[in-house]
Amino acid sequence: MDFIVRTYQWIMRDELLTFSLVLVIVFGAWVFVSIAEEVVEGESHELDKRILLSLRDAENRSDPIGPTWFEEMARDITALGSVVALMIFTATTAGYLYFTKQPWIAVFVVIAVLSGTAMSSALKLGFNRPRPDLVPHKTRIYTKSFPSGHSAMSSIAYLTLGAVMARAERRRRAKVFLLAVPVFLLLIVGVSRVYLGVHWPTDVLAGWAFGVSWAAASWLIFELLQRRFHLNVQPESSSP
């Protein structure tokens, strides 16, 4: 009986996690490729256009729907997906992990976020999709449109940081909370990009798909390396 219980716990802890991560990677990659094909062929333009215009005053396209304070709030929210903000969060988390004697996880966090950011930038250059020109942009932009860098990078960074914190938490409700918060953040960051007129909706969807897949792939690699080389990833207890 004890053997059956231990076997079940091992499957639930390791194999179920691996299967779930692989499923997320495959599904995310499929969604990204599907959206990319529609964007390249121009099939998504009409839907993108309708959604983007639905978020603007019909009589004044320069004015997003909603009160002025909501527009200002959208600018604050979109900043949560900026390179500067995400690098600060990542560096802070990596520093904490290093000082608590978890160097392998600190390295994992930095590599996952930086490599994902680099790949997102490479995809932008490859697709070279222009930014929306239907409405005035409510924030400054410097790069191409597809996929949304804010959506991709916030997905990678927040999900990775959330997973790092959740792994050290034993309570199930706390784990769910630590994973739900990153999902909420990446969603509002992506929506803010469309609301501010700087991205097509398909840019954001593709950014989410890419970011979630990259975060899952990074974590899967880390789990496999941890098992293969028996890496010590537990925090060091602080002495009184």
Side-chain angles (χ1 to χ4, degrees), residues 54-182:
S54 70
L55 298 175
R56 296 285 163 148
D57 188 324
E59 298 180 356
N60 182 11
R61 289 186 177 181
S62 65
D63 184 23
I65 58 174
T68 304
W69 63 263
F70 189 80
E71 182 181 329
E72 190 63 29
M73 184 176 69
R75 291 194 186 93
D76 294 336
I77 290 174
T78 208
L80 294 174
S82 67
V83 174
V84 173
L86 294 177
M87 290 304 106
I88 290 175
F89 293 146
T90 301
T92 301
T93 303
Y96 167 78
L97 292 169
Y98 176 79
F99 288 118
T100 55
K101 307 301 182 182
Q102 302 176 81
W104 289 108
I105 302 183
V107 171
F108 156 69
V109 167
V110 173
I111 292 177
V113 174
L114 291 182
S115 60
T117 301
M119 180 58 69
S120 174
S121 299
L123 289 172
K124 280 179 173 289
L125 293 174
F127 285 99
N128 198 34
R129 189 187 195 186
R131 295 279 182 159
D133 56 1
L134 297 176
V135 297
H137 302 154
K138 289 298 181 178
T139 186
R140 292 187 177 182
I141 54 174
Y142 304 97
T143 58
K144 293 296 182 178
S145 193
F146 185 91
S148 166
H150 277 61
S151 300
M153 292 187 298
S154 61
S155 299
I156 295 169
Y158 289 133
L159 288 176
T160 299
L161 300 183
V164 167
M165 291 186 288
R167 61 172 290 279
E169 181 58 60
R170 295 183 178 179
R171 292 167 294 184
R172 184 179 298 275
R173 290 184 179 180
K175 284 181 178 290
V176 171
F177 176 77
L178 290 172
L179 292 175
V181 170

Side-chain angles (χ1 to χ4, degrees), residues 177-195:
F177 176 77
L178 290 172
L179 292 175
V181 170
V183 172
F184 173 72
L185 289 174
L186 67 90
L187 287 176
I188 61 175
V189 167
V191 171
S192 73
R193 303 303 285 169
V194 179
Y195 178 79

Side-chain angles (χ1 to χ4, degrees), residues 12 24-25 48 51 98 117-118 135 139 153 157 166 177 205 222 231 237:
M12 292 300 292
V24 170
I25 295 168
D48 277 333
I51 295 175
Y98 176 79
T117 301
V135 297
T139 186
M153 292 187 298
F177 176 77
L205 289 175
F222 178 80
L231 302 177
S237 301

